[in-house]
Amino acid sequence: MPRKKADPAPAAAAPAAGPVAAAAVAQSTLNSLRGVADWKEAAAWLRVRGIEDIECITPDLAGVPRGKMMPSSKFTSNTSLALPSALYRHTISGDYPEETSTFRYEPRDSDLKLLPDLSTLSVVPWETDPTAQVICDIVNTDGKSVPYTPRNVLKNVVRLYSERGWKPVVAPEIEFYLVAKNDDPDYPLHPPKGRSGRSILGGQGYSIAGINEFDELIDDIYHFSEKQGLEIDTLIHEEGPAQLEINLRHGDPIELADQVFMFKRTIREAALKHGIYATFMAKPMQGQAGSAMHIHQSVVDIETGRNIFSNPDGSASKEFFQFIGGMQTYIPKALVMMAPYVNSYRRLTPDMSAPVNTAWGYDNRTTAFRVPVSDAAARRVENRLPSSDANPYLALAASLGCGLLGMMNGIDPTPPTEDTANEGDIELPRGLLEAVSLLESDPALADVLSSEFIGLYAGVKRGEFETFMQVISPWEREFLLLNV
């Protein structure tokens, strides 16, 4: 069921709802699985479902849900929700990097405010007690948007499109692995046992039998998703052992980023219910395919709804080609937002079903930017570079932002690639530090993403690299211990 757009609410507090008769609220609102229009409807929606607690969550730089839980009565009363600004300055391991000229801590570690987006209100179906959740934006104490938080970074890119009379449309595809529980990080991961009692092997691409091995888990994924008003388009078994892919229906970038954010949480919870892990690591198992988050993208004219990638006669427009040109030019410099960890670059290697180039082509899965077969109204570009470990808000912001720069600056692409493109030289950053430096190198990216975000994000990523460098790997013990 489509979500309803919420009316703006004060940053510091939600107005007191007071007694609301259920009959006074439209039945469609009370039946809505996801989203309400205002605080009055929120109070009725919570009451009808007997919601006791509500989770107010927001994605940090890694896309991890952060926030606060409170009784539902407090949520609809005069309650202020705040988080420390340091939340957006720590690494995935919880460390705090050293300051640099562009990475600075807020001197007072002052509060940032959580502003609930009521259009995202939904139940938490895996909780035993009646619980709801709502995604929040981050604002300063004066109510102004905080530019470096992931949801706001994406909102700013969408705003730049809107200023030109355009609206981007996206459809993400999320790959992930199911793995047996692993409580010791020194041991490699391996596939879990399915209903047959045996661990599933590779070579199961598009296998229905491979999906059926985890029927009960998949049923829970569908059930949990339906309860939250999340729509799955298709689900398939991918190349790797117990590697699955979920495709989402196309729509607004903010809404789709929200859905990926929620789907990751949902899939992990469903897997834990069955005693296994779901992982979105880009390369969880050596020698197996990595996990991607492919993004299908098009742009429509706000007034007419026409896909601007197609001319009236059905041919490809100059905007279509310039969007591709922008991605070819700028995405290598923004790759760290789509491949955010050391592990991400293990996926981007030749001959492993992942792009290692900036090539584009028609229905060519070996290129970074694939144009699927479609009619003129559905003409789109698939970005195959992002990995599923990426924060969906930042991956979408980077991809759309680079395409927009191409259209703004009239950048023409290279000719389309007809042959295999992922067997030659690697045309992308080979590691995290190189990718971070490239992000900082181009002023055009700062214009689209904000220099404040880039400085903060680069500082966190360098901090994560230094943490990684403190770990001695099995490869080093195997080949250096007695040989050097």
Side-chain angles (χ1 to χ4, degrees):
M1 180 176 297
R3 73 172 78 184
K4 300 175 66 177
K5 290 297 179 185
D7 292 339
V20 179
V25 180
Q27 192 63 38
S28 61
T29 295
L30 298 181
N31 292 336
S32 173
L33 296 174
R34 185 171 181 79
V36 295
D38 53 39
W39 287 95
K40 180 179 179 180
E41 289 188 2
W45 189 95
L46 295 168
R47 185 179 298 107
V48 165
R49 288 159 178 76
I51 299 296
E52 298 174 3
D53 300 302
I54 187 158
E55 301 171 350
C56 299
I57 59 175
T58 194
D60 67 4
L61 288 185
V64 175
R66 306 283 180 179
K68 293 185 176 182
M69 177 181 282
M70 64 174 59
S72 58
S73 59
K74 294 287 187 181
F75 177 70
T76 53
S77 65
N78 191 20
T79 301
S80 178
L81 298 170
L83 294 173
S85 61
L87 183 70
Y88 292 95
R89 291 166 171 82
H90 66 67
T91 67
I92 191 68
S93 58
D95 297 313
Y96 290 90
E98 295 292 328
E99 286 191 330
T100 67
S101 60
T102 56
F103 175 78
R104 312 294 295 179
Y105 291 95
E106 207 283 326
R108 298 172 297 146
D109 192 16
S110 56
D111 278 345
L112 301 175
K113 297 295 184 180
L114 288 163
L115 178 62
D117 181 346
L118 297 182
S119 71
T120 68
L121 182 66
S122 67
V123 300
V124 183
W126 50 83
E127 290 287 354
T128 53
D129 295 328
T131 304
Q133 60 195 336
V134 66
I135 299 175
C136 300
D137 284 315
I138 301 296
V139 298
N140 287 312
T141 52
D142 60 4
K144 293 182 179 178
S145 175
V146 178
Y148 56 77
T149 59
R151 207 164 185 254
N152 289 338
V153 172
L154 178 54
K155 282 188 171 185
N156 185 60
V157 172
V158 173
R159 178 185 60 79
L160 294 175
Y161 274 87
S162 180
E163 289 175 354
R164 290 159 178 80
W166 298 335
K167 178 178 175 60
V169 178
V170 301
E173 302 171 347
I174 317 153
E175 297 174 348
F176 61 97
Y177 273 91
L178 301 175
V179 297
K181 278 192 171 181
N182 182 313
D183 57 4
D184 189 335
D186 278 340
Y187 287 91
L189 301 172
H190 62 272
K193 294 179 180 179
R195 66 174 186 171
S196 67
R198 304 180 67 180
S199 293
I200 195 168
L201 300 176
Q204 297 289 328
Y206 293 90
S207 167
I208 298 301
I211 292 177
N212 290 341
E213 280 288 302
F214 304 101
D215 266 348
E216 292 185 2
L217 166 58
I218 290 169
D219 285 345
D220 279 333
I221 291 175
Y222 277 117
H223 174 71
F224 287 167
S225 299
E226 182 181 0
K227 291 288 186 181
Q228 297 171 88
L230 302 174
E231 293 188 73
I232 296 174
D233 194 16
T234 57
L235 185 146
I236 65 170
H237 196 289
E238 263 292 349
E239 291 183 36
Q243 185 188 31
L244 305 180
E245 176 183 291
I246 283 180
N247 298 335
L248 306 184
R249 300 183 69 178
H250 65 274
D252 174 79
I254 306 296
E255 293 186 14
L256 268 298
D258 287 344
Q259 288 194 40
V260 175
F261 176 57
M262 299 309 301
F263 265 121
K264 283 189 172 184
R265 189 179 187 212
T266 298
I267 292 165
R268 287 193 187 98
E269 291 290 340
L272 286 173
K273 181 181 174 182
H274 293 268
I276 59 180
Y277 292 153
T279 179
F280 297 88
M281 282 179 64
K283 190 79 166 181
M285 288 187 279
Q286 183 174 319
Q288 299 294 344
S291 290
M293 182 175 65
H294 300 153
I295 303 171
H296 291 252
Q297 306 156 100
S298 59
V299 181
V300 299
D301 182 273
I302 292 175
E303 287 189 5
T304 65
R306 179 184 62 84
N307 185 345
I308 71 166
F309 285 174
S310 296
N311 292 317
D313 64 1
S315 61
S317 68
K318 63 178 176 51
E319 288 84 5
F320 167 76
F321 292 111
Q322 291 170 355
F323 187 94
I324 294 173
M327 290 200 299
Q328 287 186 308
T329 301
Y330 294 105
I331 276 182
K333 302 173 185 178
L335 186 65
V336 70
M337 296 171 66
M338 306 173 201
Y341 303 104
V342 172
N343 179 262
S344 310
Y345 297 85
R346 302 189 191 280
R347 167 182 164 260
L348 300 174
T349 57
D351 305 319
M352 286 301 296
S353 300
V356 294
N357 52 68
T358 59
W360 75 279
Y362 295 100
D363 199 22
N364 188 340
R365 284 185 170 85
T366 69
T367 62
F369 312 119
R370 168 179 171 258
V371 179
V373 176
S374 71
D375 59 25
R379 181 173 275 117
R380 61 194 185 275
V381 182
E382 178 191 16
N383 181 357
R384 297 177 60 82
L385 284 172
S387 48
S388 61
D389 57 358
N391 181 324
Y393 300 93
L394 299 183
L396 283 169
S399 191
L400 292 171
C402 292
L404 178 62
L405 285 171
M407 293 188 290
M408 290 169 56
N409 298 325
I411 300 174
D412 292 324
T414 63
T417 299
E418 302 290 344
D419 301 319
T420 300
N422 62 348
E423 295 177 348
D425 295 336
I426 298 177
E427 301 172 0
L428 302 168
R430 290 298 291 127
L432 186 62
L433 283 187
E434 181 185 354
V436 170
S437 295
L438 285 173
L439 180 67
E440 297 172 304
S441 69
D442 199 315
L445 290 175
D447 292 340
V448 171
L449 303 170
S450 90
S451 56
E452 188 175 3
F453 162 74
I454 288 176
L456 186 148
Y457 190 73
V460 168
K461 291 298 141 184
R462 286 198 172 94
E464 288 174 349
F465 181 80
E466 292 304 323
T467 302
F468 170 80
M469 290 299 290
Q470 296 173 17
V471 178
I472 309 302
S473 70
W475 186 94
E476 293 164 275
R477 291 190 289 270
E478 175 72 17
F479 295 106
L480 303 182
L481 181 67
L482 300 178
N483 292 331
V484 296

